[in-house]
């Protein structure tokens, strides 16, 4: 908890790289855009919807400042799993979790842990772009910040620009920040959602098939943004796109479901290169080579 | 003229192309659409037409005259407009927060089963005939207020202008409370539907940014649902302003301007209901029609203002028709 506290105090400085040199001893040595994000570790995780067990006995180490891709056929629990990583799973009706998920060594399902605090540190981007339709582009980006404490207008302006730059959207929207978020195209909306997530300065970013509804150009832009983002954040991404996983990720987890109605399992987890070139299990090979799924 | 209309609708072209179904559908759709418009305008015309003798007699001064004397054949509307607006306003003031609160509780907090069952009950409440509410108001609520509420309410609010004077069981205040209970289901049921229609991804988006459930509700759900909720309130306000039976039973039907809500009063609807049997002579009946016209315009303007409010305050997906 000690460390988290420091983090919150410093989040303001982190948000605006220019001012980073001031005050915080902890961050002083780092280059503006480099930042050691936190790692995650999952042990013996089961997740349920009511009586239905969706995933079983997942164990995984998520390395800091790397992109971890989760692949596998539909309905095998990838999305359920990624939602357990920031306690969004329990928002669904009957959503329930067993096992532990450690963020920097601390169980986010611990007794005294507030899910609200967890989600501030572990951001999430959803499958379907979901900007807030009643807000402007600007307000969408700062929506999360406004939940926390008061920021000065100039400070917010800096954060908005920084976040939109990181999500590769700035140039397209800088002249219409006061337009509705809904005026953007689907791909732009999704990058707006990424910017919104970045603005609150999380440690980990979860992306649940962020490009599944987007055209190839938008997908490319998001992938490019991801490569940039991992310098600062730990990234977990669910994807159906094999090329995307092999191009953009460092580690890959293959989820598999043996029979209909069985819970999904983490079938194989290794460096991306290994999963795609010499996987250990036959199902993994069949999947990555496109023989099913 | 008919052929001009037909060509405008491309009917002949469609028929030539053998597109018979489309042509029929178009005719029917136009017919029913215009039919509704016709009925509305016809009612408005009738009210105004029947009101002409009264207009001749009293002119625009009818609106701010407080005379209502069948013997002298002198009629005015001000005290009834006051009664209508005050009862509608008080009941809105009470029903809006409670109704939205009920809806928020059911949708955001209550377990699914409670939401379903209570939601159904709330919709049932809306279907209870208003005379039943009136009966209950006069035999249960009024005595209850007199016995238990008055002793401590009067010392607290008695000094505020508008709350002075003796407390009567049959009063504007009691009528407003009964109205509140009557429109509460309307507010709660429609707000509940509107809140339920807010997409899950909107809630999740706010939660994932590290919001509490309250922040999620106030910053993501309510803005999204705002148009529909205002629509619910407009509908309820219209109902409160036009409610007749329950109010007639309970408001006391005093045909004068009241200075305290604990006094007796009358609304436009209640004065019409209370006088149509006695009405004889052209100007008397005509005045009742004219009162009806005033009420019509009053509720119409309430709705128009509500819609303008929605349009002015929404930048998003909010349905400008108010969600119903």
């Amino acid at each position: 908890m000690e460390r988290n506290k420091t983090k919150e105090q410093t989040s303001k400085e982190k948000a605006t790289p220019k001012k980073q040199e001031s005050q915080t001893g902890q961050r002083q040595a780092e280059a503006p855009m480099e930042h050691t994000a936190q790692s995650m570790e999952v042990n013996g995780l089961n997740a349920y919807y009511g009586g239905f067990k969706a995933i079983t006995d997942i164990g995984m180490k998520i390395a800091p400042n790397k992109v971890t891709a989760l692949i596998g056929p539909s309905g095998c629990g990838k999305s359920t799993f990624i939602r357990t990583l920031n306690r969004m799973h329990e928002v669904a009706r009957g959503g329930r979790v067993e096992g532990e998920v450690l963020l920097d060594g601390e169980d986010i399902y611990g007794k005294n842990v507030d899910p609200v605090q967890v989600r501030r540190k572990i951001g999430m981007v959803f499958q379907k772009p979901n900007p807030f339709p009643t807000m402007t582009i600007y307000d969408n980006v700062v929506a999360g910040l406004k939940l926390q404490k008061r920021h000065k207008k100039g400070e917010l302006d800096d954060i908005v620009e920084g976040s939109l730059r990181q999500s590769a959207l700035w140039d397209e929207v800088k002249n219409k920040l006061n337009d509705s978020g809904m005026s953007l195209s689907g791909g732009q909306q999704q990058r707006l959602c990424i910017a919104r997530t970045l603005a609150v300065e999380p440690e980990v970013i979860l992306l649940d098939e962020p490009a599944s509804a987007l055209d190839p150009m938008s997908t490319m832009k998001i992938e490019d943004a991801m490569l940039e983002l991992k310098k600062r954040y730990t990234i977990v991404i669910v994807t159906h796109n094999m090329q995307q996983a092999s191009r953009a990720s460092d580690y890959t987890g293959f989820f598999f479901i043996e029979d209909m109605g069985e819970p999904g399992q983490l079938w194989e987890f290794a460096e991306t290169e290994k999963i795609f070139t010499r996987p250990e299990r036959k199902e993994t090979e069949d999947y990555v080579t496109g023989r099913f799924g | 003229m008919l052929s001009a209309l037909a060509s405008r609708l491309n009917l002949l072209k469609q028929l030539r192309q053998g597109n018979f179904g489309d042509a029929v559908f178009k005719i029917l759709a136009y017919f029913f659409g215009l039919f509704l418009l016709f009925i509305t305008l016809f009612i408005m015309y009738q009210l105004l037409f029947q009101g002409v003798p009264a207009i001749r007699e009293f002119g625009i001064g009818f609106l701010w005259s407080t005379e209502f004397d069948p013997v002298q054949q002198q009629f005015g509307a001000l005290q009834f407009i006051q009664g209508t607006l005050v009862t509608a306003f008080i009941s809105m003031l009470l029903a809006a927060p409670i109704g939205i609160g009920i809806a928020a509780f059911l949708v955001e907090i209550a377990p699914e089963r409670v939401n379903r069952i209570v939601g159904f009950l709330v919709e049932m409440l809306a279907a209870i005939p208003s005379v039943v509410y009136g009966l209950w108001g006069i035999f249960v609520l009024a005595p209850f207020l007199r016995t238990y509420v008055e002793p401590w309410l009067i010392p607290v609010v008695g000094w505020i202008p508008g709350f002075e004077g003796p407390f009567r069981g049959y009063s504007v205040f009691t009528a407003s409370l009964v109205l509140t209970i009557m429109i509460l289901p309307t507010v709660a049921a429609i707000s509940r539907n509107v809140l339920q229609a807010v997409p899950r991804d909107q809630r999740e988006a706010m939660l994932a940014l590290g919001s509490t459930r309250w922040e999620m509700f106030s910053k993501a759900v309510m803005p999204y649902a705002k148009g529909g909720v205002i629509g619910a309130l407009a509908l309820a306000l219209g109902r409160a302003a036009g409610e007749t039976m329950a109010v007639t039973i309970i408001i006391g039907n005093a045909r004068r301007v009241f200075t305290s809500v604990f006094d007796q009063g009358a609304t436009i609807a209640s004065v019409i209901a209370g006088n149509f049997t006695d009405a004889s002579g052209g100007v008397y009946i005509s005045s009742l029609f004219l009162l009806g016209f005033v009420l019509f315009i009053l509720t119409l303007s309430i709705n128009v203002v509500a819609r303008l409010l929605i349009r002015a305050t929404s930048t998003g997906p909010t349905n400008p028709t108010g969600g119903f």
Side-chain angles (χ1 to χ4, degrees), chain A residues 148-249:
Chain A
Q148 299 174 13
K149 52 190 173 253
R150 293 218 149 273
H151 293 260
K152 289 199 197 79
K153 177 83 171 88
E155 221 170 62
L156 286 180
D157 289 348
D158 289 346
I159 296 173
V160 167
E161 180 172 348
S163 307
L164 287 170
R165 276 190 194 284
Q166 287 182 70
S167 69
L169 187 60
W170 174 250
D171 291 329
E172 291 156 65
V173 301
K174 64 184 172 194
N175 293 322
K176 51 172 190 173
L177 291 174
N178 286 321
D179 285 11
S180 163
M182 300 306 280
S183 67
L184 302 175
S185 75
Q188 291 173 322
Q189 286 185 15
Q190 192 62 297
R191 277 176 284 147
L192 178 60
C193 293
I194 293 176
R196 177 174 75 187
T197 306
L198 299 177
V200 295
E201 288 285 313
E203 293 294 330
V204 181
I205 299 174
L206 309 174
L207 303 122
D208 185 2
E209 290 186 56
S212 65
L214 305 183
D215 64 280
M217 275 308 290
S218 302
T219 306
M220 278 302 292
K221 283 195 173 152
I222 287 181
E223 271 177 40
D224 289 346
M226 244 161 46
L227 291 179
E228 207 44 48
L229 291 176
K230 71 173 179 179
K231 292 177 185 164
R232 286 186 76 156
Y233 305 98
T234 302
I235 297 176
V236 183
I237 177 172
V238 169
T239 179
H240 272 294
N241 182 332
M242 288 307 116
Q243 288 94 353
Q244 187 173 55
S246 64
R247 264 196 314 260
S249 73

Side-chain angles (χ1 to χ4, degrees), chain A residues 6-292:
Chain A
T6 338
K7 270 221 165 79
E8 272 188 0
Q9 282 157 1
T10 58
S11 71
K12 209 198 276 184
E13 281 78 27
K14 279 194 294 167
T16 47
K18 281 178 283 186
K19 296 173 189 153
Q20 200 166 16
E21 285 80 2
S22 61
Q23 299 159 16
T24 49
Q26 196 187 347
R27 309 246 165 268
Q28 233 164 24
E30 294 166 1
M33 286 301 287
E34 307 284 333
H35 162 73
T36 308
Q38 294 180 356
S39 63
M40 293 187 78
E41 188 177 335
V42 180
N43 294 317
L45 185 85
N46 305 321
Y48 301 80
Y49 291 98
F52 173 71
K53 194 177 195 183
I55 50 174
T56 185
D57 197 27
I58 310 282
M60 184 187 284
K61 283 201 164 82
I62 298 167
N65 296 89
K66 300 284 181 207
V67 176
T68 302
L70 307 175
I71 60 171
S74 294
C76 63
K78 307 179 297 289
S79 283
T80 303
F81 172 69
I82 201 169
R83 291 167 65 90
T84 63
L85 296 182
N86 70 340
R87 299 192 60 168
M88 284 301 285
H89 175 66
E90 67 202 43
V91 173
R93 267 189 205 289
R96 187 160 58 82
V97 168
E98 291 165 2
E100 56 176 20
V101 176
L102 307 178
L103 174 67
D104 222 31
E106 199 184 339
D107 190 0
I108 64 171
Y109 285 97
K111 228 180 214 154
N112 298 318
V113 177
D114 179 0
V116 170
Q117 294 305 323
V118 168
R119 293 183 199 125
R120 278 184 192 170
K121 277 179 256 163
I122 309 176
M124 183 163 213
V125 175
F126 298 86
Q127 194 165 345
K128 209 177 116 223
N130 54 357
F132 300 118
T134 55
M135 296 184 194
T136 62
I137 293 171
Y138 186 99
D139 286 336
N140 259 286
V141 178
V142 298
L145 285 171
K146 287 200 169 158
L147 298 172
Q148 299 174 13
K149 52 190 173 253
R150 293 218 149 273
H151 293 260
K152 289 199 197 79
K153 177 83 171 88
E155 221 170 62
L156 286 180
D157 289 348
D158 289 346
I159 296 173
V160 167
E161 180 172 348
S163 307
L164 287 170
R165 276 190 194 284
Q166 287 182 70
S167 69
L169 187 60
W170 174 250
D171 291 329
E172 291 156 65
V173 301
K174 64 184 172 194
N175 293 322
K176 51 172 190 173
L177 291 174
N178 286 321
D179 285 11
S180 163
M182 300 306 280
S183 67
L184 302 175
S185 75
Q188 291 173 322
Q189 286 185 15
Q190 192 62 297
R191 277 176 284 147
L192 178 60
C193 293
I194 293 176
R196 177 174 75 187
T197 306
L198 299 177
V200 295
E201 288 285 313
E203 293 294 330
V204 181
I205 299 174
L206 309 174
L207 303 122
D208 185 2
E209 290 186 56
S212 65
L214 305 183
D215 64 280
M217 275 308 290
S218 302
T219 306
M220 278 302 292
K221 283 195 173 152
I222 287 181
E223 271 177 40
D224 289 346
M226 244 161 46
L227 291 179
E228 207 44 48
L229 291 176
K230 71 173 179 179
K231 292 177 185 164
R232 286 186 76 156
Y233 305 98
T234 302
I235 297 176
V236 183
I237 177 172
V238 169
T239 179
H240 272 294
N241 182 332
M242 288 307 116
Q243 288 94 353
Q244 187 173 55
S246 64
R247 264 196 314 260
S249 73
D250 303 291
Y251 295 89
T252 298
F254 173 62
F255 279 73
F256 187 61
I257 183 168
E258 272 181 298
D259 278 305
M260 228 33 214
E262 299 274 302
Q265 299 173 44
L266 180 57
W267 205 247
E268 192 168 346
F269 182 69
E271 292 86 22
T272 297
E273 202 219 328
K274 182 162 179 290
I275 291 280
F276 280 89
T277 54
R278 36 199 164 80
E280 275 172 15
R281 300 180 79 159
K282 185 174 170 306
E283 291 81 2
T284 314
E285 190 182 347
D286 287 350
Y287 187 77
V288 299
T289 54
R291 242 168 279 167
F292 79 92

